[in-house]
Amino acid sequence: MRALRRLVFGISAAETRFERRGFRGAAPAVRQRLEAIGGTFVDGYHAALDVTRADRLPERLAGVEREMAGFAWEGAAMGLALLDTVMPWRDSQWRALLKGPGAPHAYMVYIGAGWAAARLGGNVARFMKNEDDPVLRWLVIDGLGFHDGYFHWPRTITEQRRPEQLSAHAQRVFDQGLGRSLWFVEGAEPSRIARTIARFDPARRSDLWAGAGLAATYAGGIDRTGLTALRAACGTFLPEVAQGAAFAAQARVRAGNPAPGTDLACEILCGMTAPEAAAITERARQNLESEGDAPAFEVWRQRIQNHFTQEREFAHA
């Protein structure tokens, strides 16, 4: 059965290679890191296909380097979510992961479900039940956006198409995930990312920049000079970039897998340490409710962006 699951659902490691995906740019060291991230994701995904249960994953993923662990858990979440769908008679192992060993990696577990949803026709509803987390559940759609940017960039980035079935707010979250994918598609090169985002409708640019900031801080791969160039390239969208960076910082703080690149990105993009940026996201969740037709997730993002907008010294540095 393990061999059959791999045969039917497996993803070749070659699918994460730049030449296979048609990604552009990237210095050799950057490319190596971004491909290693993709490979770690695939390893986590295959681990889930092999063991099929959430409680068996900690032992299987124990050997993953701490800084890269989130990507393995993201892949494992995709695998369990996919298996839940094809084996609907069993208790949900993706939800068991979310409530159990994957809880510290909740950001990545939700995003991984978005990958599964993308492979299942874009149906995100099954992974967005309110009883799990009414805020973070929106990251399923972020995962959908990243997947479609990563695997289908000619359609979603060049042609700028989005799933029509998504609501207006869901399309904004999709764009945050799409912005994360630009970090890979454009080889983590700030000027290329800026030119690509500038070709989108102005109404979409803020969410794309938020995603780019998130990827720059969580995935990383560039040095101080590159991050300073990213800060300059985003222009007036610096609060959105800082919001994405703060999301990334909180994801790593919650999971206990800090990374030097995250610390450096928060210093440059947020003007503070990674734990301080993470704390902003936690304060922004206090007394968090939907406002009008805006879901709590969007209110949360706006609160964080407003914090950075109001920091006059930071915004105009």
Side-chain angles (χ1 to χ4, degrees):
M1 291 300 296
R2 177 184 301 179
L4 180 60
R5 287 191 295 270
R6 287 256 190 161
L7 177 65
V8 175
F9 300 115
I11 299 175
S12 169
E15 294 295 331
T16 66
R17 302 298 182 188
F18 268 48
E19 62 269 18
R20 181 66 170 268
R21 299 261 55 83
F23 294 166
R24 302 172 279 261
V30 175
R31 174 173 174 167
Q32 183 179 14
R33 177 173 177 83
L34 297 182
E35 289 183 338
I37 287 171
T40 302
F41 176 95
V42 170
D43 288 345
Y45 173 71
H46 287 153
L49 294 186
D50 288 346
V51 303
T52 74
R53 292 184 55 85
D55 57 4
R56 296 174 183 169
L57 279 169
E59 181 179 1
R60 183 64 181 265
L61 301 182
V64 179
E65 180 186 355
R66 186 169 69 163
E67 181 180 336
M68 301 288 278
F71 304 110
W73 286 97
E74 180 185 4
M78 176 193 176
L80 292 184
L82 195 66
L83 291 176
D84 283 351
T85 304
V86 300
M87 294 189 290
W89 57 85
R90 72 174 190 170
D91 291 338
S92 171
Q93 290 303 300
W94 174 79
R95 196 149 274 110
L97 180 69
L98 181 65
K99 296 178 180 297
H105 302 277
Y107 281 68
M108 311 305 280
V109 172
Y110 276 110
I111 289 170
W115 281 67
R119 295 297 174 101
L120 297 166
N123 182 0
V124 297
R126 71 186 74 191
F127 304 115
M128 293 186 63
K129 296 182 178 180
N130 267 311
E131 64 265 24
D132 294 326
D133 187 316
V135 178
L136 292 187
R137 69 193 181 105
W138 285 84
L139 291 173
V140 174
I141 301 172
D142 178 297
L144 175 66
F146 182 91
H147 173 280
D148 285 2
Y150 190 90
F151 286 102
H152 307 297
W153 62 263
R155 181 181 74 215
T156 55
I157 296 174
T158 303
E159 298 178 15
Q160 302 179 10
R161 292 164 59 186
R162 289 184 294 194
E164 295 180 357
Q165 73 271 22
L166 296 179
S167 69
H169 285 293
Q171 287 189 340
R172 295 197 62 185
V173 184
F174 179 92
D175 276 350
Q176 179 176 272
L178 188 63
R180 286 197 302 114
S181 76
L182 287 175
W183 195 248
F184 292 78
V185 175
E186 302 295 357
E189 213 292 310
S191 62
R192 295 182 66 93
I193 292 170
R195 287 195 298 270
T196 297
I197 293 177
R199 289 194 288 267
F200 278 78
D201 185 284
R204 300 182 64 180
R205 294 173 192 169
S206 63
D207 300 311
L208 293 167
W209 274 116
L214 203 166
T217 309
Y218 196 94
I222 61 175
D223 60 13
R224 178 179 295 273
T225 299
L227 287 165
T228 301
L230 180 67
R231 174 175 169 139
C234 72
T236 59
F237 295 105
L238 186 54
E240 287 87 347
V241 170
Q243 172 251 298
F247 269 25
Q250 172 57 14
R252 285 199 174 276
V253 167
R254 175 171 178 160
N257 57 357
T262 298
D263 294 328
L264 180 61
C266 286
E267 175 192 335
I268 295 172
L269 302 178
C270 300
M272 59 186 65
T273 68
E276 287 170 342
I280 288 171
T281 71
E282 285 300 291
R283 290 196 297 272
R285 283 199 67 167
Q286 295 176 10
N287 303 314
L288 187 62
E289 296 180 357
S290 300
E291 294 181 2
D293 65 343
F297 182 81
E298 182 55 35
V299 177
W300 186 37
R301 289 204 312 160
Q302 194 59 58
R303 285 182 180 181
I304 297 167
Q305 292 173 20
N306 288 344
H307 171 88
F308 290 110
T309 300
Q310 291 163 8
E311 292 288 332
R312 183 172 300 179
E313 267 188 34
F314 163 72
H316 297 284

